[in-house]
Amino acid sequence: MIEDTFLGLDLSTQGLKAVIIDSDLSIVFETAVNFDKDLPEFDTEGGALIDGETVTTPSLMFVKALDLVLTQLSESDIDLCNIKAISGSGQQHGSVWLNYSAKTSLSSLCPSLKLSEQLKNIFSMPNGPIWMDSSTGKYCRGLESVIGGPKELARITGSRAFERFTGNQIAKYFYGKPEIYKETERICLISSFIPSLLIGDFAAIDFSDGSGMNILDINEKNWNETALNYVGDDKLEAKLGKPLASHTVAGNISKYFVEKYDFSADCEVILFSGDNPNSLAGLAVTGPNDVIISMGTSDTIFGATEKATPSEKNGHVFVSPMNPDSFMVMLVRQNGSLTREKVRDQRADGSWKTFTEMLCKTPAGNNGKIGFYFFTPEITPAIKNTGVFRFDSNGQKTDGFSPEEEARAVYESQFMSLRLHSEQFGLNPDLIIATGGASVDNALTQIIADIFGKPVAVGDTPDSAAMGAAYRALHGYICNKNGAYVPYTDVTAKAIQPEVVSEPDMSNYEVYSNLLPRFEELEKTLK
Ligand code: XUL
């Protein structure tokens, strides 16, 4: 029997990955292109061109990467004609600016030539801004001011103004380089550019990645007029196109790919979304309230929720990539693994084994002792001052933590803070999926389980954004076949379930819940 397959493409900062799954969600083929290594002619560093605060990426590099990945796929044993649908993931916030010749070029591609040869002149700005750019502070303040302040902007768009968010990037060119803005027929997100190549026409921005622009009303699911009028003019709405739900079919794959690579003419292209939304779609496969805690240099908590309360200070609410009527919350804590390691080095001679043994010598809640560890300025909550701030059980400042108390204090403080801030955003997990290096540390996953009062599973899907893209290809395909939205979890039920490694001790959970109000008060005293 011929097996239906689904293709997920993940265009990250560093490269382009492709993963093909079957309808049982098993991987049948994977391949990848690395920008710096495989496309050295663009001279990127980690996929980016860094010029002070301005950080861009050559848009043609994305086209060449697609040429390369599709060639690799067509040279494999996989029959591309069995791919029923394609979806994808793009690094969030980055944009691709297309001129007035792009639409014709996209729709009249010649199969004997490479994409990059035919599309090199379609850009009104050859290097588009990406998420690492921090050059738009002035426009962020301007946008917040016309909307009525950061709180109001967050209420409408899910986030206060952030430099990397695309609306503020658009403002920079609208005011600073009006000729580029004028020559642009379409502003794509990276996530809407790749499907545009695939369908040979402009593909829509999806609600979820569109939420990373500071101009989309996440409740109305449409552009906010005041924001558009500030970051551009009355032509901006047409330049952006109408945003659509993430499971929407953008169109069928264009003739070029059918003739050149033997795709089937009825292969559907489902709207692409951002990398963080796709990672959630690739990991949160067991239930609608699964929450991911990804522990790396920084710790990120993200998950789906029906109701979200955006903050004027930190974190983001995006429309969920799995359900247009639901939301996704994402919070980043800057002081993650490196901070834990520093305390381990100072107090346990650099040994995790000693550190874990020390943890066992103190009770949950550390007898009321609370510490805050900010070796770099923190963003959740926003705290500029770095240092270690210790408090005794009466809330008085102290320097006297024993090594054992210190070990416990750093773990408890990091995850009480994540619980506090994610609850305030509306996250209420049934299950926590821990990923990243520190997820192998059982002592840590137990503390997380006890703080949140929920089981912790370890679910390392190394390429979660690419997997999420492939799952979403299947999801979009099924929704279209059904003629209506189908719950995402119905489609991903066959995915390998992450294994629960720590069950909560509910008496410890009570200790933490009682400690949380005092923790919150102390955290508020730090600046
Ligand atoms: C999220 C963000 C990055 C990019 C690139 O807001 O800026 O995570 O999505 O990965």
PDB file of all heavy atoms in Angstrom, residues 235-248:
ATOM      1  N   LYS A 235      -1.735  51.965   3.051  1.00  0.00           N
ATOM      2  CA  LYS A 235      -1.465  50.871   2.084  1.00  0.00           C
ATOM      3  C   LYS A 235      -0.925  49.622   2.792  1.00  0.00           C
ATOM      4  O   LYS A 235      -0.750  48.573   2.188  1.00  0.00           O
ATOM      5  CB  LYS A 235      -0.428  51.331   1.055  1.00  0.00           C
ATOM      6  CG  LYS A 235      -0.864  52.595   0.333  1.00  0.00           C
ATOM      7  CD  LYS A 235      -0.279  52.667  -1.056  1.00  0.00           C
ATOM      8  CE  LYS A 235      -0.814  53.849  -1.820  1.00  0.00           C
ATOM      9  NZ  LYS A 235      -0.651  55.141  -1.129  1.00  0.00           N
ATOM     10  N   LEU A 236      -0.655  49.740   4.093  1.00  0.00           N
ATOM     11  CA  LEU A 236       0.011  48.632   4.788  1.00  0.00           C
ATOM     12  C   LEU A 236      -0.863  47.373   4.859  1.00  0.00           C
ATOM     13  O   LEU A 236      -0.359  46.256   4.703  1.00  0.00           O
ATOM     14  CB  LEU A 236       0.456  49.074   6.196  1.00  0.00           C
ATOM     15  CG  LEU A 236       1.257  48.039   6.971  1.00  0.00           C
ATOM     16  CD1 LEU A 236       2.471  47.545   6.182  1.00  0.00           C
ATOM     17  CD2 LEU A 236       1.723  48.582   8.320  1.00  0.00           C
ATOM     18  N   GLU A 237      -2.146  47.561   5.065  1.00  0.00           N
ATOM     19  CA  GLU A 237      -3.027  46.392   5.188  1.00  0.00           C
ATOM     20  C   GLU A 237      -2.919  45.511   3.928  1.00  0.00           C
ATOM     21  O   GLU A 237      -2.824  44.285   4.025  1.00  0.00           O
ATOM     22  CB  GLU A 237      -4.467  46.862   5.410  1.00  0.00           C
ATOM     23  CG  GLU A 237      -5.336  45.737   5.867  1.00  0.00           C
ATOM     24  CD  GLU A 237      -6.688  46.214   6.379  1.00  0.00           C
ATOM     25  OE1 GLU A 237      -6.909  47.441   6.506  1.00  0.00           O
ATOM     26  OE2 GLU A 237      -7.528  45.342   6.635  1.00  0.00           O
ATOM     27  N   ALA A 238      -2.907  46.169   2.768  1.00  0.00           N
ATOM     28  CA  ALA A 238      -2.789  45.418   1.506  1.00  0.00           C
ATOM     29  C   ALA A 238      -1.404  44.787   1.382  1.00  0.00           C
ATOM     30  O   ALA A 238      -1.255  43.683   0.851  1.00  0.00           O
ATOM     31  CB  ALA A 238      -3.050  46.346   0.328  1.00  0.00           C
ATOM     32  N   LYS A 239      -0.383  45.458   1.912  1.00  0.00           N
ATOM     33  CA  LYS A 239       0.977  44.902   1.824  1.00  0.00           C
ATOM     34  C   LYS A 239       1.116  43.659   2.702  1.00  0.00           C
ATOM     35  O   LYS A 239       1.991  42.834   2.486  1.00  0.00           O
ATOM     36  CB  LYS A 239       2.027  45.946   2.256  1.00  0.00           C
ATOM     37  CG  LYS A 239       2.218  47.107   1.269  1.00  0.00           C
ATOM     38  CD  LYS A 239       3.352  48.016   1.729  1.00  0.00           C
ATOM     39  CE  LYS A 239       3.275  49.400   1.125  1.00  0.00           C
ATOM     40  NZ  LYS A 239       3.805  49.538  -0.234  1.00  0.00           N
ATOM     41  N   LEU A 240       0.287  43.569   3.755  1.00  0.00           N
ATOM     42  CA  LEU A 240       0.391  42.428   4.678  1.00  0.00           C
ATOM     43  C   LEU A 240      -0.539  41.283   4.291  1.00  0.00           C
ATOM     44  O   LEU A 240      -0.270  40.126   4.612  1.00  0.00           O
ATOM     45  CB  LEU A 240       0.041  42.881   6.105  1.00  0.00           C
ATOM     46  CG  LEU A 240       1.026  43.849   6.761  1.00  0.00           C
ATOM     47  CD1 LEU A 240       0.439  44.426   8.041  1.00  0.00           C
ATOM     48  CD2 LEU A 240       2.349  43.153   7.053  1.00  0.00           C
ATOM     49  N   GLY A 241      -1.645  41.610   3.620  1.00  0.00           N
ATOM     50  CA  GLY A 241      -2.647  40.582   3.316  1.00  0.00           C
ATOM     51  C   GLY A 241      -3.447  40.257   4.560  1.00  0.00           C
ATOM     52  O   GLY A 241      -3.128  40.696   5.666  1.00  0.00           O
ATOM     53  N   LYS A 242      -4.502  39.439   4.380  1.00  0.00           N
ATOM     54  CA  LYS A 242      -5.380  39.125   5.504  1.00  0.00           C
ATOM     55  C   LYS A 242      -4.792  37.955   6.300  1.00  0.00           C
ATOM     56  O   LYS A 242      -4.468  36.925   5.696  1.00  0.00           O
ATOM     57  CB  LYS A 242      -6.753  38.734   4.925  1.00  0.00           C
ATOM     58  CG  LYS A 242      -7.867  38.685   5.911  1.00  0.00           C
ATOM     59  CD  LYS A 242      -9.163  38.394   5.165  1.00  0.00           C
ATOM     60  CE  LYS A 242     -10.183  37.655   6.012  1.00  0.00           C
ATOM     61  NZ  LYS A 242     -10.337  38.059   7.380  1.00  0.00           N
ATOM     62  N   PRO A 243      -4.634  38.091   7.628  1.00  0.00           N
ATOM     63  CA  PRO A 243      -4.107  36.950   8.396  1.00  0.00           C
ATOM     64  C   PRO A 243      -5.154  35.841   8.507  1.00  0.00           C
ATOM     65  O   PRO A 243      -6.352  36.117   8.535  1.00  0.00           O
ATOM     66  CB  PRO A 243      -3.815  37.570   9.767  1.00  0.00           C
ATOM     67  CG  PRO A 243      -4.758  38.725   9.883  1.00  0.00           C
ATOM     68  CD  PRO A 243      -4.985  39.236   8.481  1.00  0.00           C
ATOM     69  N   LEU A 244      -4.687  34.594   8.570  1.00  0.00           N
ATOM     70  CA  LEU A 244      -5.619  33.456   8.609  1.00  0.00           C
ATOM     71  C   LEU A 244      -5.202  32.428   9.666  1.00  0.00           C
ATOM     72  O   LEU A 244      -4.042  32.417  10.108  1.00  0.00           O
ATOM     73  CB  LEU A 244      -5.657  32.761   7.233  1.00  0.00           C
ATOM     74  CG  LEU A 244      -6.215  33.564   6.051  1.00  0.00           C
ATOM     75  CD1 LEU A 244      -6.018  32.790   4.749  1.00  0.00           C
ATOM     76  CD2 LEU A 244      -7.700  33.892   6.253  1.00  0.00           C
ATOM     77  N   ALA A 245      -6.146  31.547  10.033  1.00  0.00           N
ATOM     78  CA  ALA A 245      -5.857  30.504  11.036  1.00  0.00           C
ATOM     79  C   ALA A 245      -4.728  29.593  10.548  1.00  0.00           C
ATOM     80  O   ALA A 245      -4.617  29.305   9.353  1.00  0.00           O
ATOM     81  CB  ALA A 245      -7.122  29.688  11.285  1.00  0.00           C
ATOM     82  N   SER A 246      -3.922  29.117  11.505  1.00  0.00           N
ATOM     83  CA  SER A 246      -2.708  28.366  11.153  1.00  0.00           C
ATOM     84  C   SER A 246      -2.991  27.062  10.392  1.00  0.00           C
ATOM     85  O   SER A 246      -2.113  26.558   9.698  1.00  0.00           O
ATOM     86  CB  SER A 246      -1.913  28.035  12.422  1.00  0.00           C
ATOM     87  OG  SER A 246      -1.737  29.188  13.205  1.00  0.00           O
ATOM     88  N   HIS A 247      -4.202  26.494  10.545  1.00  0.00           N
ATOM     89  CA  HIS A 247      -4.450  25.225   9.854  1.00  0.00           C
ATOM     90  C   HIS A 247      -5.008  25.418   8.431  1.00  0.00           C
ATOM     91  O   HIS A 247      -5.358  24.445   7.762  1.00  0.00           O
ATOM     92  CB  HIS A 247      -5.401  24.344  10.678  1.00  0.00           C
ATOM     93  CG  HIS A 247      -6.759  24.945  10.868  1.00  0.00           C
ATOM     94  ND1 HIS A 247      -7.048  25.811  11.905  1.00  0.00           N
ATOM     95  CD2 HIS A 247      -7.892  24.823  10.152  1.00  0.00           C
ATOM     96  CE1 HIS A 247      -8.317  26.184  11.811  1.00  0.00           C
ATOM     97  NE2 HIS A 247      -8.844  25.607  10.756  1.00  0.00           N
ATOM     98  N   THR A 248      -5.058  26.672   7.974  1.00  0.00           N
ATOM     99  CA  THR A 248      -5.647  26.954   6.652  1.00  0.00           C
ATOM    100  C   THR A 248      -4.744  26.440   5.517  1.00  0.00           C
ATOM    101  O   THR A 248      -3.518  26.526   5.597  1.00  0.00           O
ATOM    102  CB  THR A 248      -5.785  28.497   6.480  1.00  0.00           C
ATOM    103  OG1 THR A 248      -6.436  29.005   7.622  1.00  0.00           O
ATOM    104  CG2 THR A 248      -6.536  28.862   5.225  1.00  0.00           C
TER     105      THR A 248
END
